[in-house]
Amino acid sequence: MTIRDLPAELLTDIFEQVVNDDSLLDPFHPTSMSLSRWDRRPTKHDWILVSPNEDAHSKQTRVYAATKAIMFTCKQWYRIAYHLLFRCLFLSDIVRLPPLCFVLDRYAWLGWYVKRIHLVRYYIPRRVAMADVEIMLVTVIQHCPNLELFTVEWPITPSFPAIADSLATYSAKSLRSVQWKISPGCLAGLIWTLDALPALVSISIDFESLSTSTTPPGDASETSEDTSPLLGTASHISLTLNSLQQLTVRGLSQEFVEQAIGWSFPTLQSFTLDFAAHRNNLPDVAEFLKHHGTQLTFLDLNTIPALDLPGILAACPMLTSFSFNPDWRLPFHADSSEGGAARLLQEPHTRITHLGLHQLLHAFLTPSQSTGSGGGLPQVATILLQRTNDLTFSQLTRQLFPALKVVRVLNRTLLTGLERQDRPEDEGYARWERWEKQCNKEGVRLEDCTGALLGDLPLDSDDEWEEGSEGEYEYEYEEAERKQEQDGLAPSNVKELRDLLNDIRRMSVAESAPFLAEEGFAALL
């Protein structure tokens, strides 16, 4: 019996195991503590830092490539594997929406396989209007009754009412995760939508200012931030989201957070607030955490204005991971300047194991690199900011955080700048040595956003990389095998699946001309 003689049911199961990536169906969105990775550009001799979101894009592209390799092997496999293209719909170009709508209109049964819709828009062709995109997107949603994850990485403010209504109508019972970019003026519609989606496990909302796209950065106005959205009857809704475990809000989120103070999140474990570069109308984070911080295990606060850090940690006794901005000027800094004994916290936090640090550009980079131009902060302000960083970091010890294991520097711009200049320079290098020495003394690991030790940058030479890493990879492989044996995890079909993949590759090369011309939807993915 050859591979071609296997029954369709068995082939379907094999193809699903080979192609599917379960991480693409994880309802939880990446956080600031999610690891980035270095990747070398094939056309240039430099490294780029790949964010967790970009890594998810790459995974989806690889899944499509593997699925198409299987499909275009023979007619039988094409018919069996075609539905695998629809499990996760990843569209990085709007021009792919029309053929997708055509296929789902003609073969509606394919919509039952769709569990994830992820749209990444890099541009809109002139011949496609936003109204047309809205109609097509609503059409796709109507064909997906089992949709679990819906992510759109571009602003959908004009189309939000229609899209939200379609999700609430056709996917209310199955939808577990959403990610939207909308303006604060959509808040009333957002509240009604969340009330109609009780199964949500993860919510990520980016509130964008309508004026940011038209106002130059140097003349940014805060006028639009002072205008509260009209909520109408939505202001009287007290939401109860019994399944919600992760809440992420970015941008102008003041009104949303204030409304959420009175809502009920009995299972909320993760809260992220990214206020971007805004300085005015900061949400009342302290009041929000008084009501919802008791059960939180993950908290990420990335704001430029300082917050009451001791009060925040006191309101969240169960935290195991906490991220904040060490550029904040906190009350204990003034006590330190006067020569008195100063402490970041009055009482130790006994559960936090991971601390994440945002910003820190001025701690390690030269002024030109930290600002991206020849200007920047005055020298006095830079020195004051660096002293603030040093004082804050000196408090990240086992005395205040007895369970602390990892301190992670989260700023990807900082790490990219360090890679370009090869290492911290001058005062930045001395600061890195002091911080590294403190962490070694405390038995804490000081990491960058890739999970590597801070200061361990990618090598310039491939030969050096291979020579230095071969033994390490061998050791890691042996350790993984040993752990697998100890855990009793030794799947018997691994070799067969690998052989099948090799057969697929060989057959794809042998059959250079697929039976179906690449003109349909499969060729567009």
Side-chain angles (χ1 to χ4, degrees):
M1 176 182 289
T2 64
I3 295 179
R4 296 177 187 267
D5 298 326
L6 294 176
E9 293 80 2
L10 182 56
L11 282 175
T12 299
D13 185 62
I14 293 174
F15 292 161
E16 288 179 350
Q17 293 189 47
V18 170
V19 170
N20 289 342
D21 187 342
D22 290 336
S23 65
L24 294 175
L25 293 180
D26 185 356
F28 300 106
H29 300 101
T31 66
S32 62
M33 295 294 283
S34 299
L35 297 180
S36 304
R37 63 177 176 85
W38 288 109
D39 192 16
R40 194 158 199 170
R41 287 191 280 192
T43 57
K44 297 184 178 181
H45 299 289
D46 63 345
W47 295 87
I48 57 173
L49 196 58
V50 180
S51 69
N53 284 331
E54 293 168 339
D55 195 36
H57 300 172
S58 301
K59 287 181 180 180
Q60 184 66 80
T61 303
R62 290 195 296 268
V63 167
Y64 277 149
T67 304
K68 291 165 68 175
I70 293 174
M71 288 173 52
F72 292 118
T73 299
C74 63
K75 293 183 179 180
Q76 179 195 11
W77 287 17
Y78 184 95
R79 290 191 296 269
I80 294 174
Y82 188 70
H83 73 278
L84 295 176
L85 287 176
F86 294 83
R87 188 169 185 254
C88 297
L89 295 177
F90 176 75
L91 302 177
S92 58
D93 196 334
I94 294 299
V95 298
R96 297 176 179 177
L97 267 177
L100 175 60
C101 292
F102 174 79
V103 171
L104 292 178
D105 283 338
R106 189 172 182 181
Y107 306 103
W109 56 274
L110 288 170
W112 285 82
Y113 291 99
V114 178
K115 292 190 175 183
R116 174 189 176 104
I117 296 178
H118 190 155
L119 282 81
V120 182
R121 187 196 66 174
Y122 296 109
Y123 70 95
I124 278 191
R126 293 182 179 179
R127 64 181 182 275
V128 180
M130 194 61 199
D132 297 329
V133 175
E134 173 187 321
I135 294 173
M136 290 185 289
L137 194 51
V138 168
T139 300
V140 171
I141 294 173
Q142 291 174 354
H143 287 292
C144 304
N146 298 316
L147 182 65
E148 296 181 6
L149 295 85
F150 184 80
T151 297
V152 182
E153 294 187 10
W154 40 273
I156 58 171
T157 298
S159 306
F160 179 72
I163 293 174
D165 181 66
S166 298
L167 291 171
T169 302
Y170 299 98
S171 306
K173 294 182 179 180
S174 61
L175 195 62
R176 298 191 299 157
S177 175
V178 294
Q179 180 178 339
W180 296 319
K181 281 190 176 183
I182 56 178
S183 71
C186 294
L187 182 56
L190 175 63
I191 294 175
W192 285 109
T193 302
L194 296 180
D195 188 46
L197 300 174
L200 287 177
V201 173
S202 177
I203 298 173
S204 178
I205 308 295
D206 190 342
F207 292 97
E208 286 200 335
S209 172
L210 294 178
S211 62
T212 54
S213 58
T214 58
T215 306
D219 301 324
S221 173
E222 299 288 342
T223 304
S224 61
E225 299 184 24
D226 297 331
T227 304
S228 299
L230 299 177
L231 298 182
T233 55
S235 61
H236 303 295
I237 296 179
S238 181
L239 287 181
T240 299
L241 299 176
N242 292 320
S243 302
L244 187 65
Q245 299 180 37
Q246 182 186 40
L247 176 61
T248 302
V249 290
R250 294 184 174 87
L252 304 175
S253 53
Q254 177 197 17
E255 192 67 29
F256 176 86
V257 173
E258 291 184 358
Q259 290 293 320
I261 290 174
W263 299 345
S264 176
F265 308 124
T267 60
L268 186 65
Q269 298 179 13
S270 172
F271 177 66
T272 296
L273 173 67
D274 185 350
F275 206 52
H278 305 293
R279 298 176 181 270
N280 297 335
N281 300 321
L282 186 69
D284 192 351
V285 179
E287 188 67 20
F288 177 88
L289 293 177
K290 284 181 182 179
H291 290 78
H292 306 296
T294 307
Q295 74 274 22
L296 288 180
T297 59
F298 179 92
L299 179 61
D300 178 11
L301 302 174
N302 187 9
T303 67
I304 294 178
L307 298 173
D308 179 15
L309 196 149
I312 286 172
L313 293 182
C316 306
M318 303 301 291
L319 281 184
T320 58
S321 180
F322 175 58
S323 301
F324 68 103
N325 182 2
D327 289 352
W328 290 344
R329 185 70 179 171
L330 301 173
F332 86 95
H333 293 144
D335 298 334
S336 299
S337 301
E338 296 172 359
R343 286 167 58 96
L344 175 65
L345 305 177
Q346 296 301 319
E347 297 292 335
H349 197 293
T350 59
R351 290 182 177 270
I352 291 180
T353 60
H354 288 68
L355 286 173
L357 306 180
H358 293 288
Q359 305 301 325
L360 289 176
L361 286 174
H362 296 278
F364 296 105
L365 297 181
T366 59
S368 60
Q369 287 183 310
S370 61
T371 58
S373 62
L377 295 177
Q379 185 178 5
V380 174
T382 301
I383 294 175
L384 179 61
L385 196 57
Q386 292 172 345
R387 174 169 171 75
T388 298
N389 296 154
D390 286 331
L391 289 173
T392 300
F393 195 89
S394 67
Q395 298 292 304
L396 308 184
T397 63
R398 291 284 182 89
Q399 184 178 1
L400 295 182
F401 304 96
L404 186 61
K405 298 179 180 178
V406 173
V407 176
R408 183 171 297 159
V409 177
L410 305 175
N411 196 327
R412 286 192 290 271
T413 303
L414 168 62
L415 188 57
T416 301
L418 291 177
E419 192 275 330
R420 288 175 180 170
Q421 71 180 25
D422 195 36
R423 67 173 205 174
E425 296 179 354
D426 303 330
E427 178 61 26
Y429 183 77
R431 180 169 292 103
W432 170 76
E433 285 187 320
R434 292 197 303 270
W435 291 10
E436 180 73 13
K437 183 178 179 180
Q438 173 186 321
C439 288
N440 289 337
K441 180 181 178 181
E442 295 289 331
V444 175
R445 181 179 171 89
L446 179 59
E447 296 181 348
D448 59 30
C449 59
T450 68
L453 291 174
L454 182 64
D456 286 359
L457 301 172
L459 301 174
D460 293 332
S461 169
D462 289 336
D463 295 335
E464 291 179 4
W465 178 270
E466 292 174 2
E467 181 181 353
S469 315
E470 184 177 356
E472 180 182 349
Y473 287 153
E474 246 178 65
Y475 172 77
E476 290 181 356
Y477 180 75
E478 292 173 359
E479 283 295 312
E481 280 194 339
R482 189 179 299 112
K483 185 178 186 302
Q484 192 179 61
E485 292 175 1
Q486 292 174 354
D487 294 343
L489 300 175
S492 59
N493 63 336
V494 171
K495 184 179 183 302
E496 287 79 358
L497 292 177
R498 289 175 179 168
D499 292 341
L500 175 59
L501 277 176
N502 292 331
D503 288 340
I504 291 173
R505 295 190 184 101
R506 286 195 297 270
M507 295 171 69
S508 299
V509 172
E511 247 180 86
S512 57
F515 80 97
L516 179 64
E518 295 192 8
E519 298 172 353
F521 175 69
L524 288 172
L525 294 175

